């Protein structure tokens, strides 16, 4: 029975699905010790997610903060050449805005507007 004085809890996104999947596995396997089964199940789930994250990080481009000076210069030159659409050796406002928006610089829309205002 709920009370109006009871503290309201928020349920994290994905939690109901996680419990549903775990319950399905418990019913499917019928383990003799549900606690050991749960510990093993969630440990395997964590390992699988960590492996996926490591694989995704290996496939992603490196962060500009992890680059050496030479890598950063090459990165900037590649961006410049890619977005200098009229190939005049300069980035006009439109070209520069495209660079800032599409390059993975970690800038939010507020920072982009601030840079463009300069």
């Amino acid at each position: 029975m709920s009370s109006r004085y009871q503290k309201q809890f928020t349920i994290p996104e994905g939690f109901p699905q996680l419990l549903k999947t775990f319950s399905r596995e418990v019913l499917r396997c019928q383990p003799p010790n549900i606690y050991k089964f749960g510990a093993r199940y969630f440990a395997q789930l964590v390992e699988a997610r960590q492996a996926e994250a490591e694989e995704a990080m290996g496939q992603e481009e490196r962060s500009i903060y992890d680059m050496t000076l030479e890598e950063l210069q090459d990165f900037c030159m590649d961006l410049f050449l890619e977005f200098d659409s009229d190939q005049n050796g300069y980035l006009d406002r439109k070209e520069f805005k495209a660079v800032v928006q599409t390059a993975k610089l970690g800038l939010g829309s507020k920072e982009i507007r601030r840079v463009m205002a300069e």
Side-chain angles (χ1 to χ4, degrees), residues 34-63:
I34 194 168
Y35 302 110
K36 286 183 181 178
F37 178 81
R40 201 172 31 243
Y41 175 82
F42 288 112
Q44 290 172 349
L45 188 62
V46 167
E47 287 175 9
R49 290 199 177 166
Q50 286 175 341
E52 287 175 10
E54 288 172 2
E55 183 180 316
M57 292 220 17
Q59 292 174 352
E60 281 185 11
E61 295 177 9
R62 290 179 54 199
S63 167

Side-chain angles (χ1 to χ4, degrees), residues 4 16 19 53 96:
R4 63 182 168 148
L19 286 180
F96 183 72

Side-chain angles (χ1 to χ4, degrees), residues 4-98:
R4 63 182 168 148
Y5 301 109
Q6 184 178 3
K7 182 179 178 183
Q8 295 294 317
F9 294 100
T10 57
I11 298 173
E13 183 180 330
F15 188 67
Q17 182 63 35
L18 178 69
L19 286 180
K20 186 176 183 180
T21 306
F22 175 67
S23 299
R24 184 180 305 123
E25 287 300 309
V26 167
L27 292 173
R28 187 176 67 79
C29 295
Q30 297 288 315
N33 186 334
I34 194 168
Y35 302 110
K36 286 183 181 178
F37 178 81
R40 201 172 31 243
Y41 175 82
F42 288 112
Q44 290 172 349
L45 188 62
V46 167
E47 287 175 9
R49 290 199 177 166
Q50 286 175 341
E52 287 175 10
E54 288 172 2
E55 183 180 316
M57 292 220 17
Q59 292 174 352
E60 281 185 11
E61 295 177 9
R62 290 179 54 199
S63 167
I64 60 169
Y65 303 107
D66 297 330
M67 293 181 183
T68 65
L69 181 60
E70 287 180 11
E71 290 173 329
L72 188 57
Q73 288 173 341
D74 290 341
F75 175 75
C76 290
M77 184 57 76
D78 291 341
L79 282 175
F80 178 83
L81 295 173
E82 180 181 344
F83 286 94
D84 186 20
S85 56
D86 54 7
Q87 298 179 349
N88 65 355
Y90 298 97
L91 293 178
D92 60 29
R93 183 174 176 81
K94 182 180 172 186
E95 293 167 338
F96 183 72
K97 185 175 182 180

